[in-house]
Amino acid sequence: MILPKRKIAYIHIPRTGGTSIERAMLLSLGSRITQFGAPLSLKKKYAMDVLHRPLSELERIYDLTGYTIYATHRDPVGRRASLLRHIGGGPANLADLYIWGDDDHYTESNKGYEVVMIPFEGMAEKYSEVLGVTVPHLNASKS
């Protein structure tokens, strides 16, 4: 997701709290809609039309020159455990662990852009500072 006027981009790595961050980004715009309820024109403007879009794809579509690009890093074991809870866990679903890729898959840039990696622990506070709004806790993994 991007905020063109603020020159902020967010790379949503699966199971790292990205839905909460993207909702906070919308709130920072004064929007009451969610990324799922937004019209397609708004989704395209703010790069919300594809979930979990890697930076390499985002930079082909949008000029990110001058942007601060953020992503959230989560311990790989915790991220995979969250994914297994999210998809239901059984052996037939283990392939999804690889399909969803690691952090590098999402943050690799072909244009040399740097990504500020925010640790999963304490991310709500950091993104609240960056965006100026409270980050909601959405899509929590079911234990």
Side-chain angles (χ1 to χ4, degrees):
M1 183 172 176
I2 61 172
L3 298 178
K5 288 185 179 177
R6 298 189 57 194
K7 297 280 192 181
I8 293 173
Y10 176 70
I11 306 303
H12 184 166
I13 300 170
R15 308 313 302 166
T16 62
T19 301
S20 296
I21 304 308
E22 289 175 343
R23 179 68 182 126
M25 291 174 78
L26 285 170
L27 289 170
S28 77
L29 295 171
S31 176
R32 295 202 182 338
I33 61 170
T34 67
Q35 57 269 54
F36 301 109
L40 185 58
S41 60
L42 187 69
K43 288 182 179 186
K44 287 190 178 287
K45 178 178 180 179
Y46 296 111
M48 299 183 310
D49 53 323
V50 176
L51 289 175
H52 309 131
R53 177 180 282 157
L55 176 56
S56 59
E57 186 180 319
L58 190 67
E59 67 191 8
R60 281 197 312 263
I61 302 167
Y62 299 91
D63 178 9
L64 300 177
T65 304
Y67 276 67
T68 302
I69 304 169
Y70 295 94
T72 306
H73 170 74
R74 184 174 186 176
D75 165 63
V77 173
R79 184 168 166 248
R80 282 178 173 78
S82 175
L83 175 58
L84 284 172
R85 285 190 298 273
H86 179 70
I87 63 175
N93 296 320
L94 290 176
D96 285 348
L97 294 175
Y98 303 101
I99 292 169
W100 282 33
D102 61 10
D103 289 0
D104 291 342
H105 168 75
Y106 292 95
T107 60
E108 198 170 84
S109 171
N110 295 319
K111 296 186 177 183
Y113 293 122
E114 298 281 330
V115 178
V116 177
M117 297 298 290
I118 305 296
F120 182 74
E121 296 75 19
M123 69 161 189
E125 293 80 14
K126 176 62 178 170
Y127 285 115
S128 291
E129 290 173 20
V130 169
L131 298 170
V133 296
T134 299
V135 174
H137 186 195
L138 305 171
N139 273 358
S141 295
K142 311 293 185 275
S143 295

